[in-house]
Each structure stands twice: as structure tokens, then as C-alpha cells.
Amino acid sequence: MASTARPRKALPVFDAARLANAATAKLRAYDPGHDLPALRERFGDAIAELGSNENPRGPSPRALKVMRAALGETFRYPDPRGMVLKRALAGHLDVGVERIALGNGSHELLMLLAQCFADAKHSIVFSQFGFAVFPIATAAADARAIGVPALPRSDRAAPLGHDLGAMAKAIRRDTRIVYLANPNNPTGTWFGDAALEKFLAAVPRDVVVVVDEAYHEYVEAPGLSTALAFADRYPNLVVTRTFSKAYGLAGMRVGYLVAHPSVVSVLERLRESFNVNNVALAGATAALGDKPWLAKARAFNRAEREWLREELLERGYRCLPSQTNFLLCVLARDASKLEQHLFERGVIVRPMSGYGLPRALRISVGSRAENRRLLRALP
Ligand SMILES: *Cc1c(COP(=O)(O)O)cnc(C)c1O
């Protein structure tokens, strides 16, 4: 959009970075990928947005209906504790409400965990090619990052995935948090319940183990259910989930976690009041209740993902196995030319050089029309 603002006088020179606290001074802003609002203006409808792992089918119609109704209440503050959603989640997950915390997206909760439990005297363990928020949360708490090398690409079960054995060994006396993502973004890889149980048994109780299950609703692999299966036995286990992916509510920003009540009450000290808005609370509650819609989203995603993976393979592109709504495709050479080629044709995928995977692209499973567009746009 052309700026209509009149020219302004230069502001006085001022370097706020010099004043930032130690943790913030070392940080860089989160890279959200391409400027999508600008691209929508440039390409209009002719754009395939396959860069952010959103659900192309959107949320349950029931969620849309209650969200429209909730707009009439937006002059009120939302329920500061989000009790209606928490009760629905407690019923859905069969846990007490006192074990649930809500976040403005699970990103917020991942950050909050580091802020509440770690500082400059502590270290935080996560995997190479683990979710991008883990190192940011670590840096924001001024904690020391211990990045553990991923499994080799040749690993059959989880190429480039978490090496849980090495992660358990990497834990030091000063380690406060271990972040795991299962399935992981951007690799799409996963580990089974038995591997997690072994890991939990090896980790001292004063280390908080966070299992990020953002893609849980898509999971169908044998041997993998959920880390929640161990939540009653391991009070140091925290499981995070989101409404942004399978539930199709990325724009609403709602995530949650399940933990021991004492963990939740620590997080509540720093959580912002009213962090989840009333439209989002209503939408998430209704979305949770529409099980047939979720089942359809899962079935659609499975079929479309496997079809897309095959089509890509036929064209010579190898993608890792995935239990998510995206594929990580690893090329024989640097992927930036291909990413640019697709970009110029209105197909947005996520480059992976920021993750240290310059030969990879992460491609979200879109609608059939979007996926076809991607295939057509390939050189
Ligand atoms: C998308 C994603 C999230 C979700 O973030 P929200 O803030 O809930 O939208 C969390 N973890 C992983 C691994 C993700 O890919």
C-alpha cells in the first residue's frame, strides 16, 4: 500500500537497544516469514499460502457462529480465567481444571514457562531443528541454550528428529527446562510413547519437561498417543497444545497447557490478565465440541498430505515422513532459488535457512487447489 502519510521531521537520535536488559539485548525479533498482507495485495486471490501450517478448511462452522455472536460482547473484558473453555478442556482431556493454563497462542505459554522457571543461572535443553520458539524463549529468560544435535538424516524413524538419549545426557545440574516438540516443527518427525516414558524416567524431577503437541490432533502413528498419558506420574511434565493448527483458529490466538497445579499457579503469577479475548474463548470452546469437524479435517489432511508427498516424489522432491499438516522437503542443493521461483508465482512456502537447513523447504498442506498450484508452479 502506498503511504499517504506526509513527510515527518526526523526524530532525535536515540539508541534504545543500549538500554535493553541483558536478555533482550541479545535477541532478534521473531521472523514470521513473508509479509503476507502485502503479498495478498499484490497477488489477490491468486496466492497459495503454504508457509504457516494453517488449516486451509478453517474452523468448525459452530465456532464461526458463536464467534459472530461473541462480537456483541467485545466491549466487555473477557473472563480473566477463561473458565468456560477450561472446563470444556478439562472434560475433553479428563483432567482437573486447576491443571490447565490458557495462552494467547501456545507461543505465549512457551515463553511464559521460560520466564517463570529459568534465568541467567540456568540452562535450557532443546533439539537442533526443534521448534523456533524454544531458543527465543531461552534467550528471553537470559538462560543458556543447550542445543543437542538432531538424529542423522539417515535415521529411519525420525530423520533430523529429536535424539532423546542425547538430550537426556545433555541435562546439567543447572538445567531447568527441556523443550520437546512432538511431532516437531519444522521436521514433522515424532517419537513414540515408549521413548518418551524412558526419557521422563531419566530426567531429574526438578527439570521441567515441556512437550509441545501443536500437531497432536493430526497424529495417527502407531505407538504415539500423547504425553498426557504420563502427566499423572510426572509432576514436572508440561504438555502444550493449540487451536491454531487442526482446529483452524490460528487468527484467534488460543493455546493451552496441562501441568501439575503448582506449575499452573506459578505461571498464573506472570500471565497477563485477559490474555485470551472473548471471541477466541467462545470459538475455541465451540471448536472443541465439534468432533465430526475435527475428524474431517484430520482425514482430509492425511489424504492430501500423502497425495502431495507422492506427487512431489514423482517430480524428484524428497520429503520426510510427517504426522502433521506440513512436509519438510530436502533438496540436493540450496533451496533459496526454488523458494524464490515459487514466490514469484504466488506460492508461499517457508525457507528453512534460519533453522540451519538451507537445502530444505517447509510446505504446508493446503486445499487441493492450492496444492495443485504448488505442483504446477514447480520448475
Ligand atoms: C504452530 C506451532 C505452535 C503454535 O503456536 P500458536 O502460538 O499456538 O499459534 C506451537 N508449537 C509448534 C511446534 C508449532 O508448529
Side-chain angles (χ1 to χ4, degrees):
M1 198 180 357
S3 172
T4 51
R6 62 197 163 76
R8 294 177 194 278
K9 273 208 214 113
L11 292 169
V13 173
F14 185 62
D15 182 14
R18 219 168 32 84
L19 309 178
N21 63 32
T24 312
K26 285 177 253 165
L27 274 171
R28 267 182 296 147
Y30 177 75
D31 175 9
H34 289 294
D35 179 358
L36 283 163
L39 288 173
R40 285 180 201 127
E41 278 201 13
R42 180 174 153 197
F43 290 103
D45 279 346
I47 183 173
E49 297 187 25
L50 306 177
S52 294
N53 303 344
E54 295 137 336
N55 179 348
R57 297 159 61 85
S60 153
R62 287 198 221 165
L64 286 175
K65 194 168 159 221
V66 299
M67 288 194 289
R68 284 197 190 96
L71 288 176
E73 292 297 315
T74 47
F75 69 104
R76 301 274 185 217
Y77 279 109
D79 172 2
R81 295 186 303 148
M83 281 314 285
V84 172
L85 176 56
K86 277 194 189 174
R87 278 195 210 103
L89 284 166
H92 177 72
L93 304 167
D94 194 22
V95 298
V97 278
E98 70 288 352
R99 295 177 63 182
I100 298 172
L102 303 178
N104 194 264
S106 54
H107 186 150
E108 181 182 61
L109 294 168
L110 295 168
M111 299 292 291
L112 198 57
L113 283 158
Q115 273 153 13
C116 290
F117 288 103
D119 62 31
K121 294 188 296 300
H122 300 126
S123 60
I124 295 181
V125 171
F126 48 82
S127 176
Q128 180 187 19
F129 314 133
F131 185 42
V133 168
F134 303 160
I136 297 172
T138 303
D142 209 14
R144 191 164 57 87
I146 302 182
V148 178
L151 291 167
R153 173 117 185 260
S154 57
D155 189 274
R156 281 190 58 216
L160 308 180
H162 293 12
D163 184 343
L164 291 180
M167 291 182 82
K169 285 202 193 96
I171 292 170
R172 312 278 284 262
R173 283 256 287 278
D174 65 2
T175 300
R176 264 295 157 79
I177 298 178
V178 179
Y179 283 115
L180 307 173
N182 197 28
N184 182 46
N185 172 13
T187 57
T189 49
W190 65 95
F191 48 84
D193 297 346
L196 176 61
E197 187 168 21
K198 197 168 155 204
F199 179 80
L200 288 168
V203 173
R205 287 296 161 90
D206 55 2
V207 176
V208 177
V209 178
V210 181
V211 183
D212 176 346
E213 293 190 347
Y215 300 94
H216 165 75
E217 297 80 7
Y218 289 121
V219 165
E220 295 168 314
L224 171 55
S225 61
T226 167
L228 281 180
F230 306 108
D232 291 349
R233 268 193 285 148
Y234 294 94
N236 55 328
L237 173 64
V238 177
V239 182
T240 66
R241 301 236 182 115
T242 182
F243 285 90
S244 298
K245 304 287 157 64
Y247 286 104
L249 287 168
M252 279 291 115
R253 315 300 305 124
V254 199
Y256 63 94
L257 62 75
V258 181
H260 190 275
S262 75
V263 171
V264 171
S265 77
V266 167
L267 296 173
E268 285 294 314
R269 297 177 194 177
L270 205 57
R271 180 181 67 84
E272 285 179 30
S273 46
F274 313 112
N275 61 330
V276 185
N277 70 72
N278 52 10
V279 180
L281 287 171
T285 307
L288 195 67
D290 193 347
K291 295 205 165 79
W293 182 267
L294 186 69
K296 268 188 249 160
R298 182 191 301 126
F300 169 84
N301 179 69
R302 177 207 314 123
E304 204 62 24
R305 181 188 65 217
E306 294 311 312
W307 172 79
L308 184 59
R309 191 159 175 255
E310 282 300 310
E311 293 287 323
L312 286 165
L313 188 62
E314 264 174 36
R315 290 161 177 78
Y317 298 98
R318 291 181 175 283
C319 309
L320 303 190
S322 170
Q323 285 285 302
T324 65
N325 65 344
F326 62 84
L327 292 166
L328 187 77
C329 302
V330 187
L331 314 186
R333 61 180 73 82
D334 186 281
S336 54
K337 272 221 183 78
L338 176 60
E339 196 260 331
Q340 188 61 29
H341 174 95
L342 294 172
F343 177 76
E344 277 155 17
R345 287 155 184 80
V347 177
I348 314 304
V349 300
R350 188 64 78 92
M352 289 285 114
S353 46
Y355 273 91
L357 291 166
R359 293 190 296 143
L361 291 179
R362 195 192 66 198
I363 303 175
S364 308
V365 178
S367 65
R368 180 48 73 97
E370 286 174 314
N371 299 333
R372 280 197 196 287
R373 232 191 114 106
L374 161 76
L375 294 171
R376 275 201 310 273
L378 287 168

